[in-house]
Amino acid sequence: MTGQPPALRLEGIVKTFPGVRALDGVSLSVMPGEVHALMGENGAGKSTLMKVLGGIYQPEEGQIIVAEMPTVMTSPLQAKSKGIVFIHQELSLAEELSVAENIYLGELPQLSFGRVDWAKLYTQTDAILEKLKVGFSAKTIVGDLSIANQQMVEIARALTVDAKAVIFDEPTASLTDAEKVVLFDVISDLKSQGVGIIYISHRMEEIFKITDRISVLRDGSYRGTLETRNTNEEEVTQLMIGRALDLSRNASHHEMGNVALEVRGLSCGDLFKDVSFEVRRGEVLGFYGLVGAGRTEIVETLFGLRNPSAGTILLDGEEVHVSSPADAISKGISLVPEDRKGQGLVLGMNCRDNMTLPQVGDLSSGPFVATGAETEIFDKYKDKLDIRTPGWKQTVGNLSGGNQQKIVIGKWLSMHPKVLMVDEPTRGIDVGSKSEIHNLIRELAAQGYAVIVVSSEMPEVLHVSDRIVAMFSGKVMRTFASQEVTEESLIQAISGITATDKVA
Amino acid sequence: MEAGKLSKFLKNGAIWGFIVLELIFFSVAGEFMSLSDKAFMDVDNMLLLLKQSAPIGIIAMGMTIIMVNGNIDLSVGATFALSAVILLDSMTWAVFAGLGDWVIPVSWALALLTGVVLGAINGLIVWKTGVDAFIVTLGSMLGFRGLVFMYNGENPTSSLNWTLVDFAEAQFLGFHTATWFLAVVTLIIWYVMTRTVHGRNAYAIGNNREAAVNAGIKVGPHMLINFMIIGFLAALSAVVFYSESGSVNPNDGQLYELWVITAVVLGGTKLTGGAGSIVSTLGGVLAIQLLRKGLGHIGADTSTVNLVIGLILIAVLFLDRQLNAKGKEELKI
């Protein structure tokens, strides 16, 4: 690696927006055949830096050097022609078209009179697909592919040019573990071909598995580069947030109350089968498992979004049927959904109206909204949950992920639910706010709420739960008490390896 | 923050600025080009303008709720026509012969009921089938219009009741009856949208339907109510208009849906739902009516009027897009 010029070098990039210095002299160099992680909290400047690299923003100072040639980037397309290719988190594919058409979109090989040269198109595409070792052909319709395979199409698109550097932006966000393996294989292939790779991700596990070096941004400035094999998670986290993150085990020391929710033999088609558990007041019950293990489907069923095919739900010892979210809410079951922006918040509405949305009818006398009472509730929970916003009039879409999540939590707390279910409490939330949300969940349990937490992050589940339900393909494999669980036993349980000795 | 406020002000106030511009333009241009020697901003002319805004305006208030909700209703023109037919025809029914002038409230009630029922049909289909409102109301637009023709063939339905005509042509404090109807409807719907739980829910559903469901809002019944409201308002619009004219052709009200939607969109309501204001819709209604009347005042014919309104609509949406795009770019820090 040494001796070669870097595939891509950014030098002293400065970009300011009115009132904010978004990038403050950031430098970064990526060697050919290197996987270089770019890390930082949300708002640290990663996406701004990538937009500068893609020519969407023009930097005020600094330069971009591709293979020792200073280059001015004007658009992502132009960047691609210089060998800089982006694989975005959100896929931008035409789902009704074939793989080949997508890969060569805008650059279809042509015959005379503008006719498409289909034969050439398909042979070229198949050549690229072969390199990627994927199981679909050039003629496959993109919409029929899994998300992971669609991502492969995006990557194949990148390979149509002589790529010098490929930027992956949170590529594993929607992939299963098996699909991740395939992606990592492709990345290591690219690496062996001498392509420089920038890998943006929040997931430490992956970073330590596949990268060679880690560069960290904080508040728009460069904080250093670490050799991956000479560092550890604590050091990286510390660099990212400026302090250490507490992820110790955290079982409750306070007294547990009576059983708030009991579920017996709950099933929902093929999604999950014969699920039984209970959660007490003052307890945090964690649900852990792989994507598709049925965790989210369970909480959705309890919230009335799905109809169970069998089983009983007991709330405070009494059997209940939950027919709709409205019904669940009136019975005291609430859900902080997985997709905060898509399912939890009305982004265009202000903070107060979002928080009081489920109870605005109850607050009012007659058909008219009681805005005074609403503001009171908002102010109370703004203080209680430490929501940082200039005021209730602020549009929710403008808040950070952590504060948005607090609004959703506050929405339910203000209605004093019997059971609070939180699906992926810290998805898309930066490291600093994560621990705040964790503390909040612990504190709610201490105040006597029965809390269910669904998470696909093991440190999180271990950190917040009193007991952990491990799930594998729709079944409860084991229920662990916080003191007895080890990472190994948890991984075995969610992979379906161990015997099914259920401990209730 | 300051910049955001300014652009918000520009966006909300733009339609009223446009109205002022129209008034100035037509007053000045009228001096040179008008065949009549009356000024454009003559009081009688302006009062008439308000009156003529009423039929479209009343429906536009309902359309604003529907569009804020993220739906659309293309059947309002046909609902308008069918309600008008019921209104005028029922006045001649033998069962009501002994009622004298009391037939008026009865016929009104029947016409309004027709609108509510037609709206409920739309709403129920949208709720229960989950088919997009655009498709559902495209179908009902054709279907309801079919009912109008089945009722009386190609013939107009007529019934002139002089008591009713006197009422419709009356002026109270200078304003015509129709203007008062528009004013009251605007006020009530404005109140519903800004002060009631129903209005709050309408914005929430249009903005993020899934989040609204998860907050326990019953989206289906909510939409049903909105379609009943717009059905009622389409019928009310017919009641106000045909009380005076006394005769309805089976083709009446055609393209009303497009005029209404144009007015609502000019007023800044988003086609995708979640944002919109009743006051701005009123602005949109007045702006269109001013344009139609003003262009007529300076001697343009109907085809020119349509061309100009079409161009202005596209220009306005383009400007809106530019303003919004700029705002978004600034946010992405």
Side-chain angles (χ1 to χ4, degrees), chain B residues 42-105:
Chain B
D42 178 78
V43 174
D44 284 339
N45 199 28
M46 287 296 110
L47 288 173
L48 195 60
L49 178 131
L50 289 175
K51 177 186 173 182
Q52 290 165 341
S53 305
I56 296 287
I58 290 171
I59 307 176
M61 296 308 149
M63 191 67 87
T64 309
I65 310 186
I66 292 280
M67 285 173 66
V68 161
N69 227 196
N71 288 326
I72 202 156
D73 188 348
L74 300 176
S75 70
V76 287
T79 305
F80 174 87
L82 193 55
S83 305
V85 168
I86 298 291
L87 172 81
L88 296 182
D89 198 54
S90 66
M91 288 203 255
T92 63
W93 290 351
V95 270
F96 301 146
L99 288 174
D101 276 346
W102 284 107
V103 76
I104 296 172

Side-chain angles (χ1 to χ4, degrees), chain A residues 328-347:
Chain A
I329 293 165
S330 71
K331 291 188 162 80
I333 302 175
S334 52
L335 172 67
V336 176
E338 185 177 18
D339 176 7
R340 185 171 55 248
K341 291 180 181 176
Q343 306 169 317
L345 288 168
V346 181
L347 288 179

Side-chain angles (χ1 to χ4, degrees), chain A residues 134-147:
Chain A
V134 291
F136 54 88
S137 84
K139 291 181 186 171
T140 313
I141 299 299
V142 165
D144 296 339
L145 297 174
S146 69
I147 298 290

